[in-house]
Amino acid sequence: MKKFMPVEELARDERFNQITQADRMADGRNALIADSEKSRRSNRLTPARPDASEAARALMHGIFVGEIQALEGAGRTCWDFTTGEEAPFELKLDMARQAWDEARHVEISLKLSDWMGSEIGQYAENTVLFQAACSNDPVLRLAGVNRALEGLAIDVFTTMKEFGEIAGDPYLEFCEDWMLADEVTHVKMGSDWLRKITENDPERRKKALEFQGIVDKMFSYGGSRSDSEESSFAIARRFRELAGFTEDENDHIADLGMQALNERKAQLREKQAAAAN
Ligand SMILES: [Fe+2]
Ligand SMILES: [Fe+2]
Protein backbone atom coordinates (compact mmCIF):
# COMPACT_ATOMS: atom_id res chain seq x y z
CA MET A 1 0.00 0.00 0.00
CA LYS A 2 1.21 3.45 -0.93
CA LYS A 3 2.82 5.64 1.72
CA PHE A 4 2.29 9.41 1.99
CA MET A 5 -0.86 9.53 -0.09
CA PRO A 6 -1.61 12.98 -1.55
CA VAL A 7 -4.93 14.70 -0.90
CA GLU A 8 -5.99 14.26 -4.56
CA GLU A 9 -6.09 10.49 -4.06
CA LEU A 10 -8.58 10.40 -1.20
CA ALA A 11 -11.35 7.93 -2.01
CA ARG A 12 -14.64 9.75 -2.54
CA ASP A 13 -17.62 8.75 -4.66
CA GLU A 14 -19.51 11.07 -7.01
CA ARG A 15 -21.72 12.45 -4.25
CA PHE A 16 -18.87 14.49 -2.74
CA ASN A 17 -17.75 17.96 -3.87
CA GLN A 18 -14.17 18.45 -2.88
CA ILE A 19 -12.50 21.83 -2.77
CA THR A 20 -8.73 21.65 -2.55
CA GLN A 21 -6.54 24.56 -1.66
CA ALA A 22 -5.64 24.99 -5.34
CA ASP A 23 -9.36 25.20 -6.29
CA ARG A 24 -9.96 27.63 -3.49
CA MET A 25 -7.20 29.92 -4.68
CA ALA A 26 -8.18 29.62 -8.33
CA ASP A 27 -11.83 30.47 -7.74
CA GLY A 28 -12.69 32.06 -4.45
CA ARG A 29 -16.16 32.90 -5.74
CA ASN A 30 -17.29 29.33 -6.05
CA ALA A 31 -20.81 29.14 -4.67
CA LEU A 32 -20.16 25.86 -2.89
CA ILE A 33 -17.27 27.35 -0.96
CA ALA A 34 -19.38 30.35 -0.09
CA ASP A 35 -22.17 28.10 1.22
CA SER A 36 -19.99 25.88 3.33
CA GLU A 37 -17.96 28.71 4.81
CA LYS A 38 -20.72 31.17 5.45
CA SER A 39 -21.74 29.61 8.73
CA ARG A 40 -18.17 29.56 9.99
CA ARG A 41 -17.56 33.21 9.31
CA SER A 42 -20.86 34.60 10.47
CA ASN A 43 -21.96 35.24 14.01
CA ARG A 44 -22.53 32.62 16.64
CA LEU A 45 -24.93 29.89 15.63
CA THR A 46 -28.19 30.16 17.59
CA PRO A 47 -31.70 28.91 16.71
CA ALA A 48 -32.90 32.55 16.73
CA ARG A 49 -30.86 33.40 13.64
CA PRO A 50 -33.02 33.66 10.51
CA ASP A 51 -30.63 31.36 8.63
CA ALA A 52 -30.23 28.99 11.61
CA SER A 53 -31.40 25.77 9.88
CA GLU A 54 -29.24 26.30 6.82
CA ALA A 55 -26.20 27.36 8.88
CA ALA A 56 -26.59 24.34 11.19
CA ARG A 57 -26.84 21.97 8.21
CA ALA A 58 -23.73 23.48 6.60
CA LEU A 59 -21.82 23.23 9.87
CA MET A 60 -22.91 19.62 10.37
CA HIS A 61 -21.77 18.73 6.86
CA GLY A 62 -18.41 20.37 7.64
CA ILE A 63 -18.15 18.23 10.77
CA PHE A 64 -19.04 15.08 8.79
CA VAL A 65 -16.31 15.57 6.14
CA GLY A 66 -13.86 16.65 8.86
CA GLU A 67 -14.50 13.35 10.65
CA ILE A 68 -13.77 11.39 7.46
CA GLN A 69 -10.48 13.21 7.00
CA ALA A 70 -9.56 12.84 10.68
CA LEU A 71 -10.09 9.07 10.26
CA GLU A 72 -7.98 9.05 7.12
CA GLY A 73 -5.22 11.16 8.71
CA ALA A 74 -4.95 9.05 11.87
CA GLY A 75 -4.99 5.87 9.77
CA ARG A 76 -2.25 7.17 7.50
CA THR A 77 -0.06 8.03 10.49
CA CYS A 78 -0.26 4.37 11.57
CA TRP A 79 0.95 3.32 8.13
CA ASP A 80 3.29 6.03 6.77
CA PHE A 81 6.06 5.77 9.38
CA THR A 82 8.39 2.94 10.40
CA THR A 83 7.38 1.62 13.82
CA GLY A 84 9.94 2.34 16.52
CA GLU A 85 12.14 4.45 14.25
CA GLU A 86 10.04 7.21 12.77
CA ALA A 87 7.09 6.78 15.14
CA PRO A 88 6.85 4.92 18.48
CA PHE A 89 4.53 1.90 18.61
CA GLU A 90 2.49 3.58 21.38
CA LEU A 91 1.93 6.63 19.19
CA LYS A 92 0.56 4.35 16.48
CA LEU A 93 -1.69 2.67 19.04
CA ASP A 94 -3.08 6.09 19.95
CA MET A 95 -3.66 6.86 16.27
CA ALA A 96 -5.42 3.51 15.82
CA ARG A 97 -7.65 4.33 18.80
CA GLN A 98 -8.31 7.73 17.24
CA ALA A 99 -9.19 6.13 13.88
CA TRP A 100 -11.74 3.99 15.73
CA ASP A 101 -13.26 7.09 17.39
CA GLU A 102 -13.36 9.03 14.12
CA ALA A 103 -15.05 6.14 12.30
CA ARG A 104 -17.78 6.28 14.94
CA HIS A 105 -17.99 10.08 14.54
CA VAL A 106 -18.38 9.69 10.76
CA GLU A 107 -21.41 7.44 11.30
CA ILE A 108 -22.91 9.70 13.98
CA SER A 109 -22.42 12.85 11.85
CA LEU A 110 -23.89 11.21 8.80
CA LYS A 111 -27.00 10.16 10.74
CA LEU A 112 -27.30 13.64 12.26
CA SER A 113 -27.00 15.22 8.79
CA ASP A 114 -29.78 12.97 7.61
CA TRP A 115 -31.84 13.87 10.67
CA MET A 116 -31.29 17.58 9.89
CA GLY A 117 -32.39 17.08 6.29
CA SER A 118 -29.18 17.43 4.29
CA GLU A 119 -27.37 15.18 1.87
CA ILE A 120 -23.77 14.20 1.23
CA GLY A 121 -22.17 16.72 -1.11
CA GLN A 122 -24.76 19.43 -0.54
CA TYR A 123 -21.87 21.58 0.67
CA ALA A 124 -18.24 21.62 -0.39
CA GLU A 125 -15.65 19.46 1.34
CA ASN A 126 -12.69 21.55 2.46
CA THR A 127 -9.70 19.19 2.55
CA VAL A 128 -7.43 21.26 4.79
CA LEU A 129 -7.56 18.73 7.65
CA PHE A 130 -6.15 15.89 5.56
CA GLN A 131 -3.54 18.24 4.09
CA ALA A 132 -2.36 19.00 7.62
CA ALA A 133 -2.05 15.22 8.07
CA CYS A 134 0.34 14.93 5.11
CA SER A 135 3.46 16.25 6.83
CA ASN A 136 6.46 13.92 6.71
CA ASP A 137 7.00 14.41 10.46
CA PRO A 138 4.44 12.65 12.71
CA VAL A 139 4.94 15.32 15.38
CA LEU A 140 3.89 18.03 12.92
CA ARG A 141 0.78 16.03 12.04
CA LEU A 142 -0.13 15.79 15.71
CA ALA A 143 0.50 19.50 16.23
CA GLY A 144 -1.47 20.54 13.13
CA VAL A 145 -4.35 18.08 13.33
CA ASN A 146 -4.75 17.06 16.97
CA ARG A 147 -3.73 20.29 18.64
CA ALA A 148 -4.81 22.96 16.14
CA LEU A 149 -7.77 21.55 14.18
CA GLU A 150 -9.23 19.28 16.85
CA GLY A 151 -8.74 22.11 19.32
CA LEU A 152 -10.94 24.23 17.05
CA ALA A 153 -13.33 21.28 16.66
CA ILE A 154 -13.97 21.42 20.40
CA ASP A 155 -15.46 24.91 19.89
CA VAL A 156 -17.54 23.68 16.96
CA PHE A 157 -18.91 20.70 18.93
CA THR A 158 -19.68 22.93 21.89
CA THR A 159 -21.59 25.30 19.59
CA MET A 160 -23.57 22.43 18.07
CA LYS A 161 -24.29 20.95 21.47
CA GLU A 162 -25.64 24.29 22.71
CA PHE A 163 -27.62 24.68 19.50
CA GLY A 164 -29.24 21.29 20.11
CA GLU A 165 -29.96 22.20 23.72
CA ILE A 166 -31.58 25.56 22.90
CA ALA A 167 -33.47 24.16 19.92
CA GLY A 168 -34.84 21.32 22.09
CA ASP A 169 -33.18 18.59 20.05
CA PRO A 170 -31.86 15.93 22.47
CA TYR A 171 -30.37 13.78 19.67
CA LEU A 172 -28.13 16.60 18.51
CA GLU A 173 -27.26 17.64 22.05
CA PHE A 174 -26.24 14.18 23.28
CA CYS A 175 -24.42 13.10 20.11
CA GLU A 176 -22.32 16.25 20.14
CA ASP A 177 -21.59 15.85 23.83
CA TRP A 178 -20.30 12.29 23.30
CA MET A 179 -18.13 13.28 20.34
CA LEU A 180 -16.82 16.25 22.29
CA ALA A 181 -15.56 13.89 25.00
CA ASP A 182 -13.55 11.94 22.39
CA GLU A 183 -12.11 15.08 20.78
CA VAL A 184 -10.74 16.21 24.13
CA THR A 185 -8.73 12.98 24.33
CA HIS A 186 -7.45 13.53 20.75
CA VAL A 187 -6.17 17.00 21.62
CA LYS A 188 -4.48 15.53 24.70
CA MET A 189 -2.81 12.81 22.59
CA GLY A 190 -1.36 15.58 20.42
CA SER A 191 -0.05 17.51 23.41
CA ASP A 192 1.37 14.44 25.17
CA TRP A 193 3.25 13.20 22.09
CA LEU A 194 4.54 16.62 21.15
CA ARG A 195 5.97 17.03 24.65
CA LYS A 196 7.42 13.51 24.79
CA ILE A 197 9.01 13.26 21.35
CA THR A 198 10.51 16.75 21.28
CA GLU A 199 11.70 16.68 24.88
CA ASN A 200 15.34 16.94 23.82
CA ASP A 201 14.80 18.48 20.42
CA PRO A 202 13.85 22.15 20.79
CA GLU A 203 14.18 22.79 17.04
CA ARG A 204 11.65 20.09 16.18
CA ARG A 205 9.30 21.37 18.89
CA LYS A 206 9.61 24.92 17.56
CA LYS A 207 8.78 23.76 14.04
CA ALA A 208 5.77 21.75 15.27
CA LEU A 209 4.46 24.74 17.23
CA GLU A 210 4.98 26.94 14.21
CA PHE A 211 2.94 24.47 12.13
CA GLN A 212 0.19 24.48 14.76
CA GLY A 213 0.07 28.30 14.62
CA ILE A 214 -0.01 28.28 10.80
CA VAL A 215 -2.87 25.76 10.72
CA ASP A 216 -4.79 27.89 13.23
CA LYS A 217 -4.33 30.98 11.08
CA MET A 218 -5.11 29.16 7.82
CA PHE A 219 -8.35 27.92 9.25
CA SER A 220 -9.32 31.30 10.65
CA TYR A 221 -8.69 33.02 7.31
CA GLY A 222 -10.58 30.26 5.49
CA GLY A 223 -11.90 31.55 2.19
CA SER A 224 -12.17 35.11 3.43
CA ARG A 225 -11.23 37.67 0.87
CA SER A 226 -10.00 40.85 2.49
CA ASP A 227 -7.09 43.25 2.80
CA SER A 228 -5.13 40.56 4.57
CA GLU A 229 -5.27 38.39 1.47
CA GLU A 230 -1.64 38.78 0.53
CA SER A 231 -0.43 37.79 3.97
CA SER A 232 -2.85 34.85 3.96
CA PHE A 233 -1.04 33.62 0.83
CA ALA A 234 2.22 33.65 2.74
CA ILE A 235 0.61 31.69 5.56
CA ALA A 236 -0.88 29.20 3.10
CA ARG A 237 2.49 28.74 1.45
CA ARG A 238 4.24 28.05 4.76
CA PHE A 239 1.44 25.60 5.60
CA ARG A 240 2.11 23.68 2.40
CA GLU A 241 5.88 23.69 2.98
CA LEU A 242 5.46 22.22 6.45
CA ALA A 243 2.72 19.83 5.27
CA GLY A 244 5.16 18.22 2.86
CA PHE A 245 4.23 19.78 -0.51
CA THR A 246 7.10 19.91 -3.03
CA GLU A 247 8.41 23.28 -4.15
CA ASP A 248 6.96 22.79 -7.66
CA GLU A 249 3.48 22.07 -6.29
CA ASN A 250 3.79 25.04 -3.98
CA ASP A 251 4.82 27.38 -6.82
CA HIS A 252 1.94 26.15 -8.96
CA ILE A 253 -0.67 26.75 -6.24
CA ALA A 254 0.84 30.14 -5.37
CA ASP A 255 0.70 31.15 -9.05
CA LEU A 256 -2.97 30.20 -9.26
CA GLY A 257 -3.68 32.21 -6.13
CA MET A 258 -1.78 35.25 -7.36
CA GLN A 259 -3.54 35.06 -10.72
CA ALA A 260 -6.95 34.98 -9.01
CA LEU A 261 -5.97 37.87 -6.74
CA ASN A 262 -4.84 39.98 -9.70
CA GLU A 263 -8.08 39.25 -11.54
CA ARG A 264 -10.10 40.37 -8.54
CA LYS A 265 -8.02 43.52 -8.18
CA ALA A 266 -8.58 44.34 -11.88
CA GLN A 267 -12.34 43.79 -11.45
CA LEU A 268 -12.36 46.04 -8.42
CA ARG A 269 -10.51 48.78 -10.31
CA GLU A 270 -13.04 48.51 -13.16
CA LYS A 271 -15.93 48.82 -10.69
CA GLN A 272 -14.33 51.81 -9.01
CA ALA A 273 -13.72 53.47 -12.39
CA ALA A 274 -17.34 52.80 -13.41
CA ALA A 275 -18.61 54.25 -10.15
CA ALA A 276 -16.46 57.37 -10.56
CA ASN A 277 -17.93 58.07 -14.02
FE1 LIG B 1 -13.94 13.27 15.50
FE1 LIG C 1 -10.85 13.73 16.61
PDB file of all heavy atoms in Angstrom, residues 66-67 70-71 74 98-99 101-102 105 129 145-146 149-150 153 157 179 182-187, ligand 2:
ATOM      1  N   GLY A  66     -15.034  16.529   7.982  1.00  0.00           N
ATOM      2  CA  GLY A  66     -13.857  16.654   8.863  1.00  0.00           C
ATOM      3  C   GLY A  66     -13.577  15.331   9.569  1.00  0.00           C
ATOM      4  O   GLY A  66     -12.426  14.917   9.726  1.00  0.00           O
ATOM      5  N   GLU A  67     -14.649  14.642   9.975  1.00  0.00           N
ATOM      6  CA  GLU A  67     -14.495  13.349  10.649  1.00  0.00           C
ATOM      7  C   GLU A  67     -13.889  12.315   9.697  1.00  0.00           C
ATOM      8  O   GLU A  67     -13.040  11.514  10.098  1.00  0.00           O
ATOM      9  CB  GLU A  67     -15.844  12.827  11.165  1.00  0.00           C
ATOM     10  CG  GLU A  67     -16.564  13.719  12.176  1.00  0.00           C
ATOM     11  CD  GLU A  67     -15.825  13.854  13.490  1.00  0.00           C
ATOM     12  OE1 GLU A  67     -14.807  13.186  13.692  1.00  0.00           O
ATOM     13  OE2 GLU A  67     -16.267  14.665  14.327  1.00  0.00           O
ATOM     14  N   ALA A  70     -10.274  13.133   9.432  1.00  0.00           N
ATOM     15  CA  ALA A  70      -9.561  12.838  10.682  1.00  0.00           C
ATOM     16  C   ALA A  70      -9.278  11.334  10.757  1.00  0.00           C
ATOM     17  O   ALA A  70      -8.196  10.899  11.170  1.00  0.00           O
ATOM     18  CB  ALA A  70     -10.383  13.293  11.884  1.00  0.00           C
ATOM     19  N   LEU A  71     -10.265  10.532  10.319  1.00  0.00           N
ATOM     20  CA  LEU A  71     -10.088   9.074  10.262  1.00  0.00           C
ATOM     21  C   LEU A  71      -8.963   8.720   9.288  1.00  0.00           C
ATOM     22  O   LEU A  71      -8.068   7.923   9.610  1.00  0.00           O
ATOM     23  CB  LEU A  71     -11.419   8.430   9.820  1.00  0.00           C
ATOM     24  CG  LEU A  71     -11.412   6.987   9.326  1.00  0.00           C
ATOM     25  CD1 LEU A  71     -10.902   6.046  10.404  1.00  0.00           C
ATOM     26  CD2 LEU A  71     -12.817   6.560   8.907  1.00  0.00           C
ATOM     27  N   ALA A  74      -5.449   9.895  10.777  1.00  0.00           N
ATOM     28  CA  ALA A  74      -4.947   9.050  11.872  1.00  0.00           C
ATOM     29  C   ALA A  74      -4.525   7.680  11.316  1.00  0.00           C
ATOM     30  O   ALA A  74      -3.493   7.119  11.695  1.00  0.00           O
ATOM     31  CB  ALA A  74      -6.015   8.895  12.960  1.00  0.00           C
ATOM     32  N   GLN A  98      -7.662   6.539  17.793  1.00  0.00           N
ATOM     33  CA  GLN A  98      -8.315   7.732  17.237  1.00  0.00           C
ATOM     34  C   GLN A  98      -9.103   7.381  15.964  1.00  0.00           C
ATOM     35  O   GLN A  98     -10.222   7.858  15.769  1.00  0.00           O
ATOM     36  CB  GLN A  98      -7.291   8.828  16.933  1.00  0.00           C
ATOM     37  CG  GLN A  98      -7.984  10.093  16.443  1.00  0.00           C
ATOM     38  CD  GLN A  98      -7.069  11.284  16.268  1.00  0.00           C
ATOM     39  OE1 GLN A  98      -5.956  11.306  16.800  1.00  0.00           O
ATOM     40  NE2 GLN A  98      -7.506  12.273  15.538  1.00  0.00           N
ATOM     41  N   ALA A  99      -8.508   6.533  15.112  1.00  0.00           N
ATOM     42  CA  ALA A  99      -9.194   6.132  13.876  1.00  0.00           C
ATOM     43  C   ALA A  99     -10.531   5.461  14.220  1.00  0.00           C
ATOM     44  O   ALA A  99     -11.552   5.703  13.565  1.00  0.00           O
ATOM     45  CB  ALA A  99      -8.311   5.203  13.052  1.00  0.00           C
ATOM     46  N   ASP A 101     -12.338   6.019  16.957  1.00  0.00           N
ATOM     47  CA  ASP A 101     -13.260   7.086  17.394  1.00  0.00           C
ATOM     48  C   ASP A 101     -13.820   7.842  16.191  1.00  0.00           C
ATOM     49  O   ASP A 101     -15.019   8.101  16.106  1.00  0.00           O
ATOM     50  CB  ASP A 101     -12.527   8.115  18.278  1.00  0.00           C
ATOM     51  CG  ASP A 101     -12.176   7.566  19.661  1.00  0.00           C
ATOM     52  OD1 ASP A 101     -12.722   6.509  20.034  1.00  0.00           O
ATOM     53  OD2 ASP A 101     -11.358   8.207  20.358  1.00  0.00           O
ATOM     54  N   GLU A 102     -12.918   8.213  15.253  1.00  0.00           N
ATOM     55  CA  GLU A 102     -13.357   9.033  14.118  1.00  0.00           C
ATOM     56  C   GLU A 102     -14.338   8.261  13.229  1.00  0.00           C
ATOM     57  O   GLU A 102     -15.265   8.847  12.684  1.00  0.00           O
ATOM     58  CB  GLU A 102     -12.162   9.524  13.277  1.00  0.00           C
ATOM     59  CG  GLU A 102     -11.063  10.268  14.041  1.00  0.00           C
ATOM     60  CD  GLU A 102     -11.492  11.549  14.742  1.00  0.00           C
ATOM     61  OE1 GLU A 102     -12.695  11.865  14.761  1.00  0.00           O
ATOM     62  OE2 GLU A 102     -10.611  12.235  15.300  1.00  0.00           O
ATOM     63  N   HIS A 105     -17.498   8.705  14.756  1.00  0.00           N
ATOM     64  CA  HIS A 105     -17.985  10.077  14.539  1.00  0.00           C
ATOM     65  C   HIS A 105     -18.534  10.266  13.119  1.00  0.00           C
ATOM     66  O   HIS A 105     -19.485  11.014  12.911  1.00  0.00           O
ATOM     67  CB  HIS A 105     -16.851  11.102  14.774  1.00  0.00           C
ATOM     68  CG  HIS A 105     -16.332  11.094  16.174  1.00  0.00           C
ATOM     69  ND1 HIS A 105     -15.240  11.848  16.568  1.00  0.00           N
ATOM     70  CD2 HIS A 105     -16.744  10.414  17.281  1.00  0.00           C
ATOM     71  CE1 HIS A 105     -15.004  11.631  17.855  1.00  0.00           C
ATOM     72  NE2 HIS A 105     -15.901  10.756  18.302  1.00  0.00           N
ATOM     73  N   LEU A 129      -7.954  19.606   6.544  1.00  0.00           N
ATOM     74  CA  LEU A 129      -7.558  18.731   7.650  1.00  0.00           C
ATOM     75  C   LEU A 129      -6.627  17.625   7.146  1.00  0.00           C
ATOM     76  O   LEU A 129      -5.569  17.384   7.721  1.00  0.00           O
ATOM     77  CB  LEU A 129      -8.794  18.138   8.339  1.00  0.00           C
ATOM     78  CG  LEU A 129      -8.521  17.497   9.704  1.00  0.00           C
ATOM     79  CD1 LEU A 129      -9.753  17.578  10.599  1.00  0.00           C
ATOM     80  CD2 LEU A 129      -8.077  16.038   9.613  1.00  0.00           C
ATOM     81  N   VAL A 145      -3.010  18.671  13.306  1.00  0.00           N
ATOM     82  CA  VAL A 145      -4.354  18.080  13.326  1.00  0.00           C
ATOM     83  C   VAL A 145      -4.889  18.028  14.761  1.00  0.00           C
ATOM     84  O   VAL A 145      -5.916  18.628  15.077  1.00  0.00           O
ATOM     85  CB  VAL A 145      -4.370  16.669  12.697  1.00  0.00           C
ATOM     86  CG1 VAL A 145      -5.763  16.059  12.802  1.00  0.00           C
ATOM     87  CG2 VAL A 145      -3.939  16.734  11.235  1.00  0.00           C
ATOM     88  N   ASN A 146      -4.186  17.288  15.634  1.00  0.00           N
ATOM     89  CA  ASN A 146      -4.750  17.064  16.970  1.00  0.00           C
ATOM     90  C   ASN A 146      -4.816  18.341  17.811  1.00  0.00           C
ATOM     91  O   ASN A 146      -5.822  18.610  18.451  1.00  0.00           O
ATOM     92  CB  ASN A 146      -3.949  15.999  17.731  1.00  0.00           C
ATOM     93  CG  ASN A 146      -4.122  14.635  17.111  1.00  0.00           C
ATOM     94  OD1 ASN A 146      -3.857  14.455  15.929  1.00  0.00           O
ATOM     95  ND2 ASN A 146      -4.579  13.677  17.893  1.00  0.00           N
ATOM     96  N   LEU A 149      -6.427  21.738  14.760  1.00  0.00           N
ATOM     97  CA  LEU A 149      -7.766  21.548  14.182  1.00  0.00           C
ATOM     98  C   LEU A 149      -8.747  20.906  15.158  1.00  0.00           C
ATOM     99  O   LEU A 149      -9.903  21.298  15.235  1.00  0.00           O
ATOM    100  CB  LEU A 149      -7.670  20.737  12.886  1.00  0.00           C
ATOM    101  CG  LEU A 149      -6.983  21.500  11.744  1.00  0.00           C
ATOM    102  CD1 LEU A 149      -6.770  20.610  10.532  1.00  0.00           C
ATOM    103  CD2 LEU A 149      -7.780  22.734  11.346  1.00  0.00           C
ATOM    104  N   GLU A 150      -8.293  19.909  15.909  1.00  0.00           N
ATOM    105  CA  GLU A 150      -9.228  19.276  16.846  1.00  0.00           C
ATOM    106  C   GLU A 150      -9.475  20.199  18.036  1.00  0.00           C
ATOM    107  O   GLU A 150     -10.530  20.136  18.662  1.00  0.00           O
ATOM    108  CB  GLU A 150      -8.715  17.906  17.277  1.00  0.00           C
ATOM    109  CG  GLU A 150      -8.493  17.040  16.040  1.00  0.00           C
ATOM    110  CD  GLU A 150      -8.519  15.563  16.331  1.00  0.00           C
ATOM    111  OE1 GLU A 150      -9.609  14.971  16.337  1.00  0.00           O
ATOM    112  OE2 GLU A 150      -7.434  15.013  16.535  1.00  0.00           O
ATOM    113  N   ALA A 153     -12.128  22.121  16.745  1.00  0.00           N
ATOM    114  CA  ALA A 153     -13.334  21.275  16.662  1.00  0.00           C
ATOM    115  C   ALA A 153     -14.068  21.263  18.007  1.00  0.00           C
ATOM    116  O   ALA A 153     -15.299  21.147  18.043  1.00  0.00           O
ATOM    117  CB  ALA A 153     -12.965  19.856  16.256  1.00  0.00           C
ATOM    118  N   PHE A 157     -18.022  21.664  18.268  1.00  0.00           N
ATOM    119  CA  PHE A 157     -18.914  20.704  18.929  1.00  0.00           C
ATOM    120  C   PHE A 157     -19.685  21.360  20.072  1.00  0.00           C
ATOM    121  O   PHE A 157     -20.854  21.068  20.283  1.00  0.00           O
ATOM    122  CB  PHE A 157     -18.121  19.507  19.470  1.00  0.00           C
ATOM    123  CG  PHE A 157     -17.696  18.547  18.393  1.00  0.00           C
ATOM    124  CD1 PHE A 157     -16.383  18.130  18.281  1.00  0.00           C
ATOM    125  CD2 PHE A 157     -18.625  18.064  17.488  1.00  0.00           C
ATOM    126  CE1 PHE A 157     -16.000  17.258  17.281  1.00  0.00           C
ATOM    127  CE2 PHE A 157     -18.249  17.184  16.484  1.00  0.00           C
ATOM    128  CZ  PHE A 157     -16.925  16.779  16.381  1.00  0.00           C
ATOM    129  N   MET A 179     -19.272  13.089  21.249  1.00  0.00           N
ATOM    130  CA  MET A 179     -18.133  13.277  20.345  1.00  0.00           C
ATOM    131  C   MET A 179     -17.124  14.256  20.954  1.00  0.00           C
ATOM    132  O   MET A 179     -15.920  14.080  20.834  1.00  0.00           O
ATOM    133  CB  MET A 179     -18.608  13.770  18.966  1.00  0.00           C
ATOM    134  CG  MET A 179     -19.392  12.701  18.226  1.00  0.00           C
ATOM    135  SD  MET A 179     -19.572  13.040  16.465  1.00  0.00           S
ATOM    136  CE  MET A 179     -20.837  14.298  16.483  1.00  0.00           C
ATOM    137  N   ASP A 182     -14.639  12.602  23.126  1.00  0.00           N
ATOM    138  CA  ASP A 182     -13.553  11.944  22.387  1.00  0.00           C
ATOM    139  C   ASP A 182     -12.539  12.965  21.886  1.00  0.00           C
ATOM    140  O   ASP A 182     -11.331  12.735  21.934  1.00  0.00           O
ATOM    141  CB  ASP A 182     -14.110  11.191  21.167  1.00  0.00           C
ATOM    142  CG  ASP A 182     -14.916   9.962  21.568  1.00  0.00           C
ATOM    143  OD1 ASP A 182     -14.669   9.420  22.652  1.00  0.00           O
ATOM    144  OD2 ASP A 182     -15.793   9.555  20.777  1.00  0.00           O
ATOM    145  N   GLU A 183     -13.034  14.085  21.359  1.00  0.00           N
ATOM    146  CA  GLU A 183     -12.113  15.080  20.783  1.00  0.00           C
ATOM    147  C   GLU A 183     -11.141  15.606  21.839  1.00  0.00           C
ATOM    148  O   GLU A 183      -9.989  15.885  21.547  1.00  0.00           O
ATOM    149  CB  GLU A 183     -12.868  16.246  20.135  1.00  0.00           C
ATOM    150  CG  GLU A 183     -13.744  15.877  18.942  1.00  0.00           C
ATOM    151  CD  GLU A 183     -13.041  15.086  17.827  1.00  0.00           C
ATOM    152  OE1 GLU A 183     -11.794  15.092  17.770  1.00  0.00           O
ATOM    153  OE2 GLU A 183     -13.742  14.450  17.033  1.00  0.00           O
ATOM    154  N   VAL A 184     -11.630  15.734  23.066  1.00  0.00           N
ATOM    155  CA  VAL A 184     -10.739  16.209  24.134  1.00  0.00           C
ATOM    156  C   VAL A 184      -9.565  15.243  24.296  1.00  0.00           C
ATOM    157  O   VAL A 184      -8.413  15.667  24.446  1.00  0.00           O
ATOM    158  CB  VAL A 184     -11.531  16.383  25.463  1.00  0.00           C
ATOM    159  CG1 VAL A 184     -10.596  16.709  26.610  1.00  0.00           C
ATOM    160  CG2 VAL A 184     -12.576  17.475  25.323  1.00  0.00           C
ATOM    161  N   THR A 185      -9.838  13.937  24.190  1.00  0.00           N
ATOM    162  CA  THR A 185      -8.733  12.978  24.327  1.00  0.00           C
ATOM    163  C   THR A 185      -7.790  13.063  23.123  1.00  0.00           C
ATOM    164  O   THR A 185      -6.595  12.848  23.261  1.00  0.00           O
ATOM    165  CB  THR A 185      -9.227  11.515  24.488  1.00  0.00           C
ATOM    166  OG1 THR A 185      -9.822  11.101  23.266  1.00  0.00           O
ATOM    167  CG2 THR A 185     -10.199  11.348  25.618  1.00  0.00           C
ATOM    168  N   HIS A 186      -8.321  13.418  21.929  1.00  0.00           N
ATOM    169  CA  HIS A 186      -7.451  13.527  20.747  1.00  0.00           C
ATOM    170  C   HIS A 186      -6.512  14.722  20.875  1.00  0.00           C
ATOM    171  O   HIS A 186      -5.349  14.649  20.490  1.00  0.00           O
ATOM    172  CB  HIS A 186      -8.282  13.650  19.468  1.00  0.00           C
ATOM    173  CG  HIS A 186      -9.214  12.490  19.256  1.00  0.00           C
ATOM    174  ND1 HIS A 186     -10.230  12.506  18.347  1.00  0.00           N
ATOM    175  CD2 HIS A 186      -9.267  11.267  19.864  1.00  0.00           C
ATOM    176  CE1 HIS A 186     -10.879  11.354  18.384  1.00  0.00           C
ATOM    177  NE2 HIS A 186     -10.320  10.588  19.317  1.00  0.00           N
ATOM    178  N   VAL A 187      -7.025  15.823  21.417  1.00  0.00           N
ATOM    179  CA  VAL A 187      -6.170  16.997  21.619  1.00  0.00           C
ATOM    180  C   VAL A 187      -5.069  16.637  22.624  1.00  0.00           C
ATOM    181  O   VAL A 187      -3.898  16.963  22.433  1.00  0.00           O
ATOM    182  CB  VAL A 187      -6.986  18.221  22.114  1.00  0.00           C
ATOM    183  CG1 VAL A 187      -6.069  19.403  22.378  1.00  0.00           C
ATOM    184  CG2 VAL A 187      -8.052  18.608  21.088  1.00  0.00           C
TER     185      VAL A 187
HETATM  186 FE    FE B   2     -10.845  13.732  16.610  1.00  0.00          FE
END
